[in-house]
Amino acid sequence: MKPWKRKGDLVHADIDRQEAAVLRGLVSQIDDMLRARIEETPQDELAELTGIRTGPSTSPDDPILSRLLPDFHRLDDDNPSKADLDSAAVLRSLHEPTLLDLKTGVAAVVLETCPMYGGGIRLSLEQADAWLSALNDVRLALGTAIEVTEDMPDELPDDDPRSPHLSVYHWLTWVQESLVQALSTP
């Protein structure tokens, strides 16, 4: 993939077939995980009556989903009060559906605008912002899966099973940084 370029209110780049397949595959996996979380949400009769959607009141068990859907209220100590636990549950229940809608929405933009077999990508500024969010979600998920840390070396030994995934993580970082640079240049 060549760096993103901006021309007026459009951002464009070319992506090869393999890169498109990797990117579309990763975004699809994140989208599937998020949609599964939506489907797991029990139906709330009160929400149906009031029109206020609610979501789960507990954090996801999966560490990747937990990273993508963080707590809305952090508990400061090892022994939180019932009021703190209740507050965290209510905030999650109220806000997670909106966050899920946003995340599945940006994934849809990438899947709609990234050519399946590679080629030119042309994005409006709004679509480019969606790409940045989706790329961030993929990087968070992949980074969690391969346990990326700040002190992790740029390359891992060839026999480390995370090595090829770290290369993809670095490529995604470059794609995201290139898009940020293009958007920063009027």
Side-chain angles (χ1 to χ4, degrees):
M1 182 172 193
K2 291 187 170 66
W4 291 93
K5 301 285 184 197
R6 179 173 177 179
K7 187 171 184 178
D9 288 342
L10 294 176
V11 182
H12 59 92
D14 291 316
I15 191 167
D16 72 30
R17 184 182 188 126
Q18 183 177 1
E19 292 167 335
V22 168
L23 181 59
R24 290 178 60 84
L26 291 170
V27 170
S28 291
Q29 287 177 27
I30 299 303
D31 189 55
D32 289 346
M33 291 175 72
L34 295 169
R35 289 185 187 283
R37 176 77 173 175
I38 292 169
E39 290 173 13
E40 291 172 0
T41 303
Q43 295 300 318
D44 182 354
E45 293 174 18
L46 183 59
E48 289 179 24
L49 289 173
T50 62
I52 300 172
R53 278 183 45 215
T54 59
S57 59
T58 58
S59 299
D61 291 331
D62 179 67
I64 293 171
L65 267 179
S66 189
R67 183 75 171 114
L68 293 172
L69 303 169
D71 290 329
F72 294 89
H73 176 71
R74 295 237 185 252
L75 303 174
D76 292 330
D77 56 28
D78 294 332
N79 192 17
S81 70
K82 179 167 176 9
D84 283 343
L85 292 172
D86 289 346
S87 174
V90 167
L91 286 171
R92 176 170 292 282
S93 178
L94 289 175
H95 295 291
E96 186 173 297
T98 302
L99 186 57
L100 285 164
D101 287 346
L102 291 170
K103 289 181 178 294
T104 56
V106 297
V109 170
V110 172
L111 295 172
E112 290 167 5
T113 57
C114 181
M116 190 175 295
Y117 302 107
I121 303 170
R122 305 289 178 263
L123 305 175
S124 68
L125 298 179
E126 185 178 329
Q127 289 171 320
D129 283 341
W131 268 67
L132 287 175
S133 293
L135 286 167
N136 190 61
D137 286 345
V138 171
R139 288 183 62 247
L140 282 172
L142 186 57
T144 300
I146 63 174
E147 300 174 338
V148 170
T149 61
E150 287 185 26
D151 58 345
M152 179 180 262
D154 286 341
E155 291 185 29
L156 296 171
D158 290 338
D159 62 342
D160 189 317
R162 301 173 301 164
S163 183
H165 303 292
L166 185 60
S167 296
V168 171
Y169 179 86
H170 288 311
W171 174 73
L172 290 166
T173 302
W174 177 85
V175 172
Q176 189 177 34
E177 287 176 356
S178 172
L179 184 50
V180 167
Q181 284 294 328
L183 290 171
S184 301
T185 309

